[in-house]
Amino acid sequence: ETKVEEGAPGCAGRKSVVQFRALSTEVTSKLLEKCRKEGVTVSNALGAAAAYTASDFIGRTDDGKVDGSTERNYKVLQSLDMRRYESSPFGDDASTVGCHAGSMDLMVGPLNDGSGSSLHSSSGSNLESFWETARDGKDQTLDFVKDNEGPQEAVRVFDAAMSISDMNNLVHLTAMSEASQGRAYSAGVTNVGVYERQGAVKREGKESGDRDTLKTKHGKYQIDDLYFATSHARTGCLYQVSALTVNDKLGLTFHPASPLVPEDINEDFANAFVELLETVADGDSSSDGAAGGLLPKGAVKQASDVAVASLVPAAFLSHAGAWSEFLSNVSTMKSNLASAPDDFWAALNFWIFFAVGHPILQPVLWISDVLHGTPGPVIGDLVPALFLAGNVLVIGALAASKEIQKFANVAALAAFFAYVGAGLDGQAGLGDFNLQLNDQYKGQIVRGCPTYDQVRQPSMDNFDLEKYQGKWYEHKFHDWTQFKEVYDTTLDIKLTEDGKGWVDDFAVKGPAPAAAKLSWDKSPVANGAHYFLFGRVDPADPPGVLRESGFGVEFPNYIVDVKKDAETGEYKEAIQFQCLERGGVRVFEGINFMSRNPTMSDGELEEMHWRAEKAGMYPYGAGPEQMHRVERRPADAPPLDNSWQRMWHAIGFDALLELLTESIEDGGRS
């Protein structure tokens, strides 16, 4: 007969309902053997089974259906016997009744709704995801009990909550809550273990710690089955399972709170839980998920563990000196700006934004070239069928194995830090990704920014800002706010009507043919895109200095040198120099070689380098080896037209770019 326990007063009549189940000795033995093979405990498997079975019931509709596309995370309450972690005189010698037993939270997921029934239907052919969840539970448990820190702190927190924080009242309020219904966990698992291995009460005359184990037979009396449960009616888990192995049979008690879990649902849950355990006990896991048995057991896990342990540290160590120098400069800047922390964070965030942007672009370009270089039939004249099939395989592998996911994530993170480290080391493109603060020139550290007078050339005498307006073609740059992957860069500079501000319409196309040989003409910005830079003209500055604003910072934009047309006096070449310094540390420098002509010869560019060197700009990146030459298509080249460009136009991408351009320009002018 099923007995029920009435819920505490004020808990809307909640009461415990119970179902009893037991695995046969054969299934129990198989489950134990499989757990040992997979490197987990039975408790770890029970925790995974609780989460997977809960996924079949949480979110289930009234007609018993679940939406398999919905993902959820599960919090499982795992009971622990913390007495073993206490030392004498408070150890588990049965001489005291102490607050030693406890629990910990297992975080599981995300799992798709119906994950448990999916394992049933697979007939045990692919259970690696289940065992990965069990192994993850084991790792979480080991982290918790490591060096006895978790158990000790848990008891201290519980003691403080009871004596200081009025925990009883908090539990009462949670139990009374209409929102939570006293449910803090998706599921809970308590596994006592093997009954016959539990320590018995210490008998009189026995030495401390000398205890017998429990017996199932006492004289003519024999314990055949034994079940236990604790009430969750007031507060606790939505689904709760308590386990005890007696006579080589795993006994299970399912005891949630009704009406939150009606008795018929509890019965279904118990049946599904047992069926899942029988499936995993009999089934074969597919080694490392997507590997499909082609790799040795645990090969992907070993690879991911190696990745976690070595790849990211190796990425840092490969540029350790550069990272150390960078962190030292950041520390100096922060110390010098102690009274102006907003200035420090604005400058650092400016650096981070562009330092992150460059490495993120690289895989995008690589994937794009793979897409457009994949052979075979092309769907809709856009995407190769083989590329889609490859994506399905890759996504399937990532979805099937957490170890592959972890390996991929760690490898990507290591590649990211290695790329940024190369930028700090001056090994990743001196023109567009020379990231070091206060970087060096010819072995000497160059600190801070020069004044305008230190770089200004005689050609700037009687400089007329009105004549400087108009369209300029950029031919070379040293500037990590720009990307070497773009081409046909132009700047269209205009003063505001009152002459107190200026707007720079910065136009680019990308990626450049050299940067993405197979996909450059398929890009949504292959025919051009615009973004706007804004600034002010400070009357206190000498002519030739513009104040530029963007991304939370303002810095001077020096017009260092101009070359005039001998007949008209119009400016036909210009050298610009931007420099951002905060707290005595140079965060950014930008140098632009510009012309009114869309083409420049090598000789003309060499002359600009000579003028920049004369201005003292080589230490800041104006040397030929430190500048990137902008790629250009012929000025009269027609707009690109292909199936991808027509697709971008059909979905309105070009119209969206134009709308954004107008919005940004209007916002900047206002």
Side-chain angles (χ1 to χ4, degrees), residues 269-304:
F269 184 93
N271 292 336
F273 189 93
V274 170
E275 183 181 352
L276 178 57
L277 290 183
E278 292 173 341
T279 299
V280 299
D282 287 329
D284 293 323
S285 61
S286 175
S287 299
D288 293 308
L294 297 177
L295 296 176
K297 178 71 178 175
V300 175
K301 184 178 189 307
Q302 293 174 8
S304 68

Side-chain angles (χ1 to χ4, degrees), residues 350-383:
F350 177 78
W351 182 92
I352 291 173
F353 180 85
F354 289 101
V356 169
H358 284 258
I360 288 178
L361 180 62
Q362 305 312 308
V364 173
L365 294 176
W366 180 81
I367 292 172
S368 182
D369 260 16
V370 171
L371 163 64
H372 297 291
T374 302
V378 178
I379 300 173
D381 199 26
L382 293 172
V383 182

Side-chain angles (χ1 to χ4, degrees), residues 310-343:
S310 62
L311 287 184
V312 174
F316 275 105
L317 290 174
S318 63
H319 303 286
W323 280 106
S324 176
E325 183 181 346
F326 169 74
L327 294 174
S328 175
N329 282 317
V330 170
S331 178
T332 298
M333 180 169 62
K334 185 176 183 180
S335 176
N336 292 342
L337 292 174
S339 60
D342 289 347
D343 287 348

Side-chain angles (χ1 to χ4, degrees), residues 384-394:
L386 186 58
F387 179 82
L388 290 178
N391 273 270
V392 171
L393 289 176
V394 171

Side-chain angles (χ1 to χ4, degrees), residues 2-36:
T2 299
K3 296 185 179 294
V4 298
E5 179 183 342
E6 295 296 332
C11 294
R14 292 198 295 266
K15 60 184 181 182
S16 295
V17 292
V18 294
Q19 289 283 324
F20 303 109
R21 298 289 187 276
L23 301 185
S24 67
T25 55
E26 180 184 3
V27 174
T28 300
S29 177
K30 285 183 177 180
L31 179 63
L32 177 59
E33 181 181 352
K34 187 58 66 70
C35 287
R36 288 171 175 168

Side-chain angles (χ1 to χ4, degrees), residues 52 70-74 108-113 115 133 402 405:
Y52 271 82
T70 301
E71 288 186 337
R72 304 176 197 271
N73 291 305
Y74 293 84
V108 180
L111 298 178
N112 292 92
D113 285 359
S115 290
T133 301
K402 290 183 179 179
Q405 292 176 29

